[in-house]
Amino acid sequence: MREGYIEVLERVTSAIEPSKDDLIYLLETKDTKEYTILSQAACDIRDIYCGKRMAIRGLVEFSSFCKNTCKYCGLNRYNKTASRYRLNPDEIIKLADHVYTAGFHTIVLQSGEDGYPAQEIAKIITSIKVKFNIAITLSVGERSFEDYQLWKEAGADRYLLRIETKDRLLYKSLHQGRNVETRLQALKDLQSLGYQTGSGIMIGSPGQTIEHIANDILFLTKEAFDMIGIGPFIPHEKTPFARYPKGPVQLTLNTLALLRICTKNTWIPATTALGSLERDYRLDALMAGANVVMPNFSPESIKKKYEIYPNKSCVKEKEESVHMLCKNLASKAGLEIDYARCDSLKVT
């Protein structure tokens, strides 16, 4: 273990705004003893500020169409081999019934940025709210302020919009024809409308440095997002980044632990991406301070078609085994399952 490691960790833990140099120092750890101390500190903070519990959200991926050309994503519009689908409102509402019947009280409706009509989404939200006592999280990308307002008025509770990186040049290198400023504005719009708002970053993307990650930790901490998602870059063979290596697992877990330490009471998922590598690292994420798992309730016939990256773990997971999966993860992580809405823990 490096001399001074514990002192730096204590400094970051107690700081309102930690220094970038201290974050870089902690991010760089590959030492087993250092990581054990880091992850335990993250879990201690999670347990104090969030409770020793694991929240469950039911995920429905309702459309694989996307207008964007993100260089890391298998759904990019230039991928002519992608299998495209779009569920209709009745199908989406039926899946919400599955989520609610399973005992979950949050549904996450996710899609590519396909331009699904705003009024149709509003009607779906209203129908779900009328039928089920359930929180609705949307994850459908950048839309107009008016669309966000319409969906909030229809009953949407939360919105996920990952930024991947705040660095302007790195963002531009990952996204053809897009800039980070519109992403930042969308996040501000969502927060101004009263959404419980989530964002997040990808670890190990081509061109990313430790300094980028440290800056992003500072950004995510300052913005006080209600939810933060962290996952490794996983190359897809039908993208411009097909030949780049996967994002490092250890660096991903280091980042997750530091975000827990810095943000204290944020909901942080053990992401599907961490479960889709050479083995399932979702338990490792929970042991590094994560406290959310999102089982996939999309129909078996379409799970594989929503291929942001290859070999998604959820493709092989059956709806009937969801409870056992969650119980096993929670038990091994020393957590209790919380099936409630698990709303934001931030002070309003």
Side-chain angles (χ1 to χ4, degrees):
M1 186 167 65
R2 291 172 291 174
E3 184 177 355
Y5 183 86
I6 292 176
E7 288 79 2
V8 174
L9 178 58
E10 288 177 346
R11 211 159 48 228
V12 169
T13 301
S14 60
I16 295 176
E17 184 176 341
S19 77
K20 183 170 68 175
D21 288 343
D22 282 350
L23 289 174
I24 290 173
Y25 179 84
L26 297 173
L27 283 167
E28 288 176 334
T29 187
K30 295 180 181 178
D31 181 86
T32 302
K33 290 182 180 179
E34 289 182 356
Y35 178 67
T36 298
I37 294 170
L38 175 67
S39 59
Q40 186 58 59
C43 287
D44 289 345
I45 287 175
R46 175 198 60 203
D47 297 346
I48 291 169
Y49 287 89
C50 308
K52 295 191 69 168
R53 54 180 172 153
M54 184 181 85
I56 308 294
R57 325 287 205 195
L59 175 65
V60 172
E61 296 162 334
F62 66 90
S63 173
S64 66
F65 284 92
C66 192
K67 66 182 180 181
N68 292 336
T69 55
C70 304
K71 297 179 183 179
Y72 51 84
C73 181
L75 298 186
N76 75 84
R77 74 171 188 257
Y78 291 148
N79 181 5
K80 302 304 181 184
T81 66
S83 297
R84 308 293 182 176
Y85 70 89
R86 184 182 289 116
L87 300 182
N88 64 45
D90 288 341
E91 291 172 317
I92 296 170
I93 294 166
K94 184 178 180 179
L95 291 169
D97 189 0
H98 289 191
V99 172
Y100 186 71
T101 301
F104 298 1
H105 287 80
T106 293
I107 184 171
V108 181
L109 299 178
Q110 181 171 292
S111 74
E113 297 198 27
D114 78 336
Y116 206 104
Q119 289 290 347
E120 287 294 323
I121 292 177
K123 290 177 182 178
I124 291 166
I125 293 167
T126 300
S127 295
I128 291 174
K129 283 291 189 176
V130 167
K131 294 176 180 290
F132 315 112
N133 179 23
I134 195 168
I136 297 177
T137 301
L138 298 177
S139 180
V140 298
E142 293 179 28
R143 300 287 292 248
S144 69
F145 181 90
E146 290 73 22
D147 287 354
Y148 293 151
Q149 186 173 40
L150 175 67
W151 299 335
K152 191 72 176 65
E153 291 171 353
D157 302 278
R158 306 170 189 152
Y159 205 102
L160 303 178
L161 189 67
R162 283 176 46 143
I163 196 168
E164 308 304 359
T165 178
K166 184 180 180 290
D167 186 86
R168 183 177 61 84
L169 294 179
L170 179 59
Y171 189 94
K172 189 174 182 179
S173 75
L174 301 176
H175 304 90
Q176 183 175 324
R178 298 175 59 194
N179 62 75
V180 73
E181 284 76 16
T182 60
R183 206 73 165 177
L184 293 171
Q185 185 58 54
L187 286 166
K188 289 179 181 178
D189 290 344
L190 291 162
Q191 289 180 314
S192 73
L193 287 166
Y195 280 94
Q196 296 174 42
T197 306
S199 194
I201 58 174
M202 180 167 53
I203 304 301
S205 59
Q208 185 187 59
T209 67
I210 295 287
E211 185 173 1
H212 286 135
I213 298 172
N215 283 330
D216 285 336
I217 291 174
L218 292 171
F219 164 73
L220 293 168
T221 301
K222 182 179 180 181
E223 293 300 311
F225 292 115
D226 306 286
M227 304 157 282
I228 297 175
I230 303 297
F233 163 71
I234 302 177
H236 190 290
E237 64 176 4
K238 298 298 183 180
T239 68
F241 291 160
R243 297 185 181 277
Y244 284 87
K246 295 177 182 177
V249 173
Q250 188 59 64
L251 182 56
T252 303
L253 294 173
N254 292 350
T255 304
L256 193 158
L258 282 169
L259 275 164
R260 168 59 66 204
I261 289 168
C262 292
T263 66
K264 305 293 190 287
N265 58 354
T266 306
W267 292 107
I268 300 178
T271 57
T272 303
L274 275 168
S276 305
L277 300 168
E278 64 276 5
R279 70 171 178 86
D280 190 339
Y281 285 94
R282 284 178 291 183
L283 176 59
D284 300 76
L286 293 169
M287 298 297 290
N291 58 351
V292 178
V293 170
M294 298 196 295
N296 195 316
F297 279 78
S298 303
E300 296 293 327
S301 60
I302 67 171
K303 279 184 178 179
K304 186 172 177 57
K305 296 179 181 179
Y306 198 83
E307 194 177 73
I308 296 174
Y309 46 81
N311 303 315
K312 287 174 62 180
S313 60
C314 65
V315 172
K316 299 177 182 178
E317 294 169 0
K318 306 296 183 182
E319 186 176 319
E320 57 268 21
S321 65
V322 161
H323 284 287
M324 186 57 66
L325 167 71
C326 294
K327 286 178 181 177
N328 285 341
L329 283 171
S331 176
K332 291 177 181 178
L335 302 172
E336 295 291 328
I337 295 178
D338 193 337
Y339 289 101
R341 287 171 52 107
C342 295
D343 286 304
S344 174
L345 298 171
K346 299 296 181 182
V347 176
T348 57

